[in-house]
Amino acid sequence: MKVKYIKDWENELNICIRCAYCFEGCPVFKELGWEIDGARGKLIVVYGLLTGELEPSEYIAEKLFQCTFCRDCVERCSADISVPDIMGAIRADLFDAGYSYDSHKELTKKIENSGNIFGNELKVPVFEGDKAVLLGCRLVERKEDSEKYLTILEKLGVKTKTFNESCCGMPFAVLGDKKGFKTQQDKFIETLPDKNEEFICACTTCVFFIRAKYPDLKAKYIIDEIVERLPDYKGKLKKLNIKVTYHDPCNVARGMDMVDEPRMLLKEIGAELIEMPTNGKQAECCGGGGGLLVSDDKLAEKLAEKRVEQAIKTGAEILTTLCPTCEFNLKNAVEKLGGKIEVKNLLDLLYESMM
Amino acid sequence: MGLVSVQTLKEIVGAENAKDDKADLYVYGSDSSVHQAMPWVVVRPHTIEEVQNIMRYANPRLIPVIARGAGSGMSGQAVPIKGGIIMDLKKMNKILEINLEDTFVRVEPGVVDDDLNRALKPHNVFYPPAPASSRIATIGGEIANNASGVRSVKYGAVRDSVLGMKVVMANGDLIHLGAKTRVEATGYQIDRLMVGSEGTLGIIVEATLKFVPIPKYRCLGIAKFNKLGDAGNAISEIMSSGIILSMLELMDNIAIKAVNQALDLGLPDVEAILMFEADGMAKEGVDVEVKRMMEICKKHKGFGLELSYDAKERTRIFSGRKKLFPSLSRYKEGYVCTSLADDMAVPYSKMAEMAKMIHEIAKRNNVIMTAYGHCGSGCMHTKILMDPTKEAQWEDAKRAVFEIYNFVRSVGGTTSAEHGIGISKAPAFKREKHESLELMRALKKALDPNNILNPGKLMDAPDDWVTATKLRYTVKLEGK
Ligand SMILES: Cc1cc2nc3c(=O)[nH]c(=O)nc-3n(C[C@H](O)[C@H](O)[C@H](O)COP(=O)(O)OP(=O)(O)OC[C@H]3O[C@@H](n4cnc5c(N)ncnc54)[C@H](O)[C@@H]3O)c2cc1C
Ligand code: SF4
Ligand code: SF4
């Protein structure tokens, strides 16, 4: 295979000491169990493709698309290897070599046509203040919820401004479509009210991705904004008296190093938190990231079910999280498992406590 | 592909538990060493019977069988140098019995060390060998390597925790070795022979291990030294003064620099740091031991002394040592961290000299080497930091390795303290054990007459580790 993007990672592939520490928490390895399923195995395959010792195949593509970009391996790595970045690069090479699923193309086509992952014309709730807020495709689609989250900010004193946003392009990047990403990147920037101004980002995936791929933009995570402003509002929060368990989204805990803030918010609103056995930076991934929902929906579903089972075991009535994609994936799993727990965004709980 | 029938193996382990896709084989041809070779097929047995049937299939056909746990060995022990069947034992991972009354646990070989300890913790006991890789290392792999770790000075290596085991022999027979008791004087200690056998004598399919109480108190100390020699003298005196300690770790200036470079830990710019620990059920006892170690460090010009019982504080003090690996990997642009000549053991009185020698050898051979280790058990670690893409660097590394082991032997040390022999250390091992190699070969022949169990390792490994297998890196031939 002619490789281009992965060449930049040769040194990192050499630096990996092949210790297998990344087996410990990799959700895909834990589910499927062959060494090719863990980060070390994937990196060895990538090295084989780079050197030409391996030729690409449907099987190799399947294995390399079975990664949720959860960064658990990065967290545990002996050599600080950024596995998801390497996966992104090899997927771009695979894409150029013609390894792209119909489900990938379907998704990226939708974004190209409509500016969002749903392929529909979505109406952003209108808020006309001065602070731009990017909601992200998944929240734009949930208009009522978006209004709630914007209201939280308004109540905390932010004069929010929504705009006719376009997808940040993350799906193109994780599925290896570099050209598509470039085009979408331009569209995304074009829709921003002012690319030099800081904007608030309500979606965990978008904010993490934007920080990594748009170094010139200033994206502030909604939780940071809330945490900064909450001290002035504290007395007005209603105690909810609920039992919850919190699922740390990968991009939040491992990606943005944010473990304490959501827990602090839960405490403020009077929620009793019962932790799952893996939490914080060691939290197990729900399977919703890295494009797995379109590359291998069965596996994504299986991983979500495992996480939900852990949540149910805590005895909590609500499984709360911050990432809209986790929420989506976990909700589906709850339904499949007979609805024994309710999945709610932490922002919904905060809203309830404010009302 | 040799003579192997994947179809037959699928009939033994189930279709979903055998693979021969080239990508899988390529992955299973590697471990944490510099070596790489292609197996012919990978199988994942779930039961002892399946292991037996695989051996019964492979033995008459002379097909090599390589047992594999996590593949975290650093010397190429699990690399299939002669091809064959990789037997991935990670799915045999059940804890079969925790017997609190008789203080033993029975496990399948694929149980991960940390998982075992998580299961033991509620009972306030632990399985103590604790190699740094305990988060992924399997019990089978640990036994086959006689693994050990930072606390082995007090609790011993894996061999000291093994009471007995079940082993499937090359011909498929299942044998029970050892006992469930603490002592046993019933003839040949064949279970001991299996410890450290690196998969060459039999497949360990069950292990009976002892456990010990988790100490109530643990106190960690740290001391800094401007001279490596002073730290060495402190080590010798601590170890010869009858102190009951649970850890004694050394970091040299390169290790310190690496950690400082990678993380902002602000470790002082000194020649050596010692970390020492005592543990026990009574605080007074622990106090006595750590204070004695502190006094000895002071006597040998140790300074910046700190002591802590607090778990968080201990983690902070130890964080530099913990972060050493990632730090070494990033020490110099274009260099990688290789496990070569990386875990010799030398007498306590020679530790400082060994560390100095490592630096001298590195310098004259154009590689970077660091000295750190579990001084309490006499284990000195080093890593060779080098540019693996340059052919000349392999020659440099080869010379450095040769010189290191010459020194180790000259002071009465041994080739490997914990990471095993496999392929990379076989040349030095063969020089060290030259008198017993024929005996080892005779034993191997008696137990595995067709030489199918992990062939080409230990005494049968090639004499030149650099050319023994393909290297995992792509070496460019332009010279330095
Ligand atoms: C970062 C890092 C740190 C390490 N730190 C330490 C340390 O502190 N102390 C230490 O001792 N080691 C250490 N090691 C080395 C290694 O992790 C240990 O030796 C470990 O015990 C190997 O276990 P494994 O399951 O990975 O075995 P593998 O690498 O899979 O196998 C090793 C050998 O054991 C044989 N084997 C495996 N399972 C069986 C079985 N069931 N029956 C018969 N033979 C079998 C294999 O054939 C092979 O020869 C470290 C390794 C790494 C990468
Ligand atoms: S933990 Fe890091 S260094 Fe170790 S095998 Fe995985 S990616 Fe490589
Ligand atoms: S990013 Fe997550 S899913 Fe991907 S290899 Fe790492 S641990 Fe596994």
Side-chain angles (χ1 to χ4, degrees):
Chain A
M1 175 172 77
K2 220 175 97 236
V3 289
K4 179 175 164 197
Y5 302 106
I6 201 59
K7 276 191 184 147
D8 293 342
W9 294 95
E10 180 170 3
N11 195 34
E12 290 296 298
L13 293 168
N14 281 340
I15 284 176
C16 161
I17 60 166
R18 299 194 176 172
C19 61
Y21 281 16
C22 45
F23 285 176
E24 192 187 6
C26 172
V28 178
F29 176 73
K30 280 163 100 175
E31 179 57 30
L32 304 176
W34 292 97
E35 292 198 9
I36 199 168
D37 299 311
R40 176 177 73 175
K42 286 180 164 57
L43 294 187
I44 294 175
V45 170
V46 172
Y47 190 73
L49 292 173
L50 172 74
T51 58
E53 287 165 287
L54 292 178
E55 280 301 318
S57 62
E58 294 293 336
Y59 176 67
I60 285 181
E62 178 193 330
K63 290 291 136 191
L64 296 177
F65 279 111
Q66 279 173 336
C67 164
T68 67
F69 286 29
C70 71
R71 309 185 70 79
D72 188 280
C73 49
V74 182
E75 197 60 34
R76 298 173 201 261
C77 181
S78 293
D80 283 344
I81 308 288
S82 184
V83 178
D85 288 330
I86 296 178
M87 286 303 121
I90 195 65
R91 287 178 182 187
D93 279 323
L94 285 170
F95 182 91
D96 285 357
Y99 290 91
S100 173
Y101 301 171
D102 288 347
S103 53
H104 296 174
K105 289 178 198 137
E106 235 170 76
L107 175 65
T108 50
K109 216 50 305 80
K110 279 181 186 167
I111 305 173
E112 277 162 7
N113 292 340
S114 68
N116 65 63
I117 58 170
F118 300 100
N120 301 328
E121 205 185 310
L122 298 175
K123 284 266 169 291
V124 179
V126 181
F127 281 68
E128 294 178 315
D130 49 24
K131 185 81 182 176
V133 180
L134 177 84
L135 295 163
C137 304
R138 283 204 182 270
L139 291 184
V140 173
E141 202 245 356
R142 289 160 42 184
K143 193 155 180 258
E144 267 180 38
D145 292 334
S146 302
E147 275 167 2
K148 284 191 212 163
Y149 307 159
L150 289 159
T151 307
I152 294 175
L153 290 171
E154 292 281 336
K155 281 189 169 289
L156 292 173
V158 187
K159 300 271 162 274
T160 61
K161 173 168 69 183
T162 51
F163 53 96
N164 200 8
E165 56 186 64
S166 190
C167 172
C168 66
M170 184 276 292
F172 291 93
V174 298
L175 299 175
D177 182 353
K178 286 264 181 190
K179 214 168 126 222
F181 176 52
K182 179 79 201 58
T183 313
Q184 186 57 34
Q185 222 175 2
D186 293 342
K187 283 190 202 165
F188 169 69
I189 292 177
E190 238 169 66
T191 58
L192 287 177
D194 184 344
K195 63 180 181 355
N196 298 314
E197 278 289 309
E198 182 190 87
F199 59 93
I200 295 173
C201 189
C203 170
T204 54
T205 310
C206 297
V207 71
F208 178 70
F209 183 76
I210 291 166
R211 285 178 184 172
K213 300 287 175 189
Y214 298 79
D216 296 334
L217 296 184
K218 299 177 200 103
K220 184 170 191 185
Y221 185 33
I222 190 168
I223 298 299
D224 285 319
E225 188 71 42
I226 291 172
V227 168
E228 269 170 43
R229 291 173 177 266
L230 205 62
D232 296 337
Y233 196 86
K234 258 186 182 170
K236 300 180 216 159
L237 287 173
K238 195 166 70 197
K239 299 282 173 209
L240 296 183
N241 296 321
I242 44 172
K243 268 191 192 168
V244 306
T245 188
Y246 171 67
H247 167 71
D248 292 86
C250 305
N251 287 334
V252 177
R254 287 183 282 268
M256 297 191 285
D257 203 12
M258 184 182 273
V259 172
D260 297 336
E261 291 83 342
R263 290 170 170 78
M264 185 275 282
L265 287 177
L266 287 170
K267 203 168 162 205
E268 291 299 333
I269 62 175
E272 183 195 337
L273 172 65
I274 315 166
E275 295 279 12
M276 285 182 267
T278 65
N279 55 64
K281 291 196 165 196
Q282 314 274 311
E284 239 164 274
C285 169
C286 76
L292 196 68
L293 282 165
V294 281
S295 296
D296 188 342
D297 55 346
K298 292 270 168 313
L299 180 59
E301 194 177 296
K302 187 85 205 126
L303 300 181
E305 281 172 23
K306 270 174 131 178
R307 193 62 175 155
V308 167
E309 273 160 8
Q310 290 170 15
I312 292 172
K313 271 203 190 129
T314 64
E317 51 198 303
I318 293 169
L319 163 57
T320 186
T321 188
L322 277 166
C323 165
T325 306
C326 296
E327 226 184 313
F328 168 82
N329 202 25
L330 293 167
K331 268 183 186 157
N332 285 346
V334 165
E335 213 168 284
K336 187 118 191 284
L337 294 173
K340 291 185 200 121
I341 196 165
E342 190 184 358
V343 179
K344 270 194 167 179
N345 197 304
L346 202 156
L347 292 173
D348 284 314
L349 300 178
L350 181 60
Y351 179 80
E352 282 168 33
S353 158
M354 282 178 152
M355 287 300 128
Chain B
M1 277 303 119
L3 302 162
V4 78
S5 156
V6 183
Q7 195 44 44
T8 310
L9 288 168
K10 283 187 173 172
E11 280 159 24
I12 296 173
V13 290
E16 66 291 2
N17 289 309
K19 280 196 178 198
D20 64 348
D21 190 283
K22 194 173 171 198
D24 285 298
L25 302 180
Y26 189 71
V27 167
Y28 278 96
S30 178
D31 63 1
S32 193
S33 70
V34 298
H35 304 288
Q36 181 130 28
M38 286 297 258
W40 306 335
V41 59
V42 188
V43 292
R44 263 187 344 192
H46 285 65
T47 63
I48 294 179
E49 205 186 343
E50 285 176 3
V51 173
Q52 288 181 283
N53 287 337
I54 294 165
M55 296 315 299
R56 285 182 191 128
Y57 166 75
N59 192 38
R61 293 169 181 79
L62 312 184
I63 300 169
V65 178
I66 299 92
R68 183 171 173 105
S72 70
M74 292 170 138
S75 321
Q77 299 97 311
V79 171
I81 192 168
K82 296 198 185 294
I85 301 170
I86 294 278
M87 190 188 278
D88 178 344
L89 289 151
K90 286 190 279 296
K91 287 286 163 188
M92 287 180 72
N93 61 356
K94 285 195 272 305
I95 296 173
L96 302 166
E97 180 185 1
I98 296 178
N99 191 321
L100 295 172
E101 209 175 8
D102 297 324
T103 64
F104 69 77
V105 58
R106 271 192 318 117
V107 296
E108 289 187 335
V111 168
V112 169
D113 182 319
D114 276 3
D115 288 340
L116 173 58
N117 271 319
R118 269 189 282 273
L120 292 175
K121 201 170 175 204
H123 308 291
N124 279 324
V125 292
F126 76 119
Y127 159 72
S133 50
S134 61
R135 66 189 74 186
I136 40 98
T138 64
I139 297 299
E142 288 187 2
I143 296 176
N145 279 284
N146 192 18
S148 55
V150 287
R151 297 205 170 88
S152 292
V153 56
K154 178 165 182 181
Y155 297 99
V158 164
R159 69 175 174 203
D160 303 300
S161 290
V162 173
L163 297 175
M165 61 182 83
K166 286 185 189 167
V167 180
V168 171
M169 305 306 287
N171 63 4
D173 286 355
L174 176 69
I175 57 168
H176 294 61
L177 300 171
K180 288 176 184 168
T181 53
R182 290 276 162 145
V183 286
E184 192 210 2
T186 31
Y188 297 135
Q189 307 282 298
I190 303 174
D191 52 330
R192 285 288 176 126
L193 182 61
M194 290 294 161
V195 177
S197 62
E198 299 188 4
T200 62
L201 299 180
I203 311 285
I204 299 154
V205 289
E206 188 183 307
T208 305
L209 309 166
K210 70 179 183 190
F211 48 73
V212 291
I214 296 174
K216 259 198 183 138
Y217 299 94
R218 230 173 220 156
C219 183
L220 179 69
I222 186 166
K224 292 131 196 176
F225 296 85
N226 280 326
K227 291 268 163 280
L228 186 59
D230 291 336
N233 293 335
I235 293 169
S236 286
E237 189 169 340
I238 289 172
M239 293 315 299
S240 59
S241 59
I243 295 172
I244 302 169
L245 68 161
S246 52
M247 187 206 298
L248 181 58
E249 290 286 306
L250 167 82
M251 274 171 83
D252 74 351
N253 56 343
I254 303 228
I256 296 166
K257 191 172 155 202
V259 173
N260 274 342
Q261 237 170 248
L263 305 152
D264 202 11
L265 282 184
L267 296 180
D269 185 15
V270 290
E271 273 197 11
I273 290 180
L274 277 187
M275 277 167 248
F276 47 91
E277 185 197 75
D279 66 11
M281 289 300 177
K283 188 163 180 295
E284 303 73 44
V286 176
D287 268 342
V288 171
E289 309 294 3
V290 281
K291 286 195 177 132
R292 281 175 73 195
M293 288 192 271
M294 201 151 109
E295 286 312 313
I296 294 173
C297 288
K298 262 192 211 156
K299 181 177 149 193
H300 293 286
K301 306 196 188 82
F303 63 96
L305 289 132
E306 283 180 66
L307 281 184
S308 184
Y309 277 93
D310 178 62
K312 266 202 183 139
E313 192 54 17
R314 287 203 316 263
T315 308
R316 184 192 64 78
I317 296 175
F318 204 61
S319 61
R321 172 67 179 84
K322 265 228 132 92
K323 284 289 173 186
L324 185 54
F325 238 115
S327 312
L328 286 174
S329 305
R330 304 273 162 193
Y331 191 79
K332 189 173 168 190
E333 185 69 26
Y335 275 42
V336 302
C337 179
T338 60
S339 293
L340 298 167
D342 58 335
D343 71 322
M344 46 273 171
V346 291
Y348 297 127
S349 60
K350 306 292 179 205
M351 299 284 313
E353 211 179 325
M354 178 81 238
K356 276 191 194 150
M357 189 53 73
I358 285 171
H359 292 163
E360 277 174 39
I361 291 173
K363 208 166 163 192
R364 64 172 172 260
N365 289 298
N366 317 311
V367 291
I368 299 171
M369 292 180 82
T370 167
Y372 61 100
H374 319 316
C375 301
S377 42
C379 169
M380 178 67 82
H381 280 310
T382 138
K383 295 282 164 217
I384 295 192
L385 311 183
M386 58 184 272
D387 181 345
T389 62
K390 292 193 172 139
E391 193 186 17
Q393 280 270 275
W394 289 98
E395 287 305 314
D396 294 334
K398 194 165 142 182
R399 274 194 318 276
V401 166
F402 187 79
E403 290 176 23
I404 294 272
Y405 286 128
N406 277 350
F407 179 80
V408 169
R409 275 195 308 281
S410 74
V411 296
T414 190
T415 307
S416 174
E418 52 180 38
H419 297 165
I421 301 301
I423 302 166
S424 354
K425 281 179 219 142
F429 158 83
K430 286 202 249 182
R431 287 199 299 279
E432 179 190 332
K433 303 283 185 198
H434 61 96
E435 291 161 351
S436 48
L437 293 178
E438 281 318 310
L439 174 59
M440 290 183 206
R441 290 191 182 112
L443 281 168
K444 166 87 173 148
K445 197 156 178 63
L447 299 182
D448 176 21
N450 290 340
N451 193 25
I452 61 160
L453 285 163
N454 203 8
K457 302 290 167 65
L458 294 166
M459 61 282 171
D460 296 330
D463 286 328
D464 181 353
W465 60 267
V466 181
T467 55
T469 60
K470 180 188 148 339
L471 294 167
R472 59 160 277 206
Y473 309 96
T474 309
V475 183
K476 296 173 184 126
L477 303 174
E478 304 85 58
K480 283 190 193 187

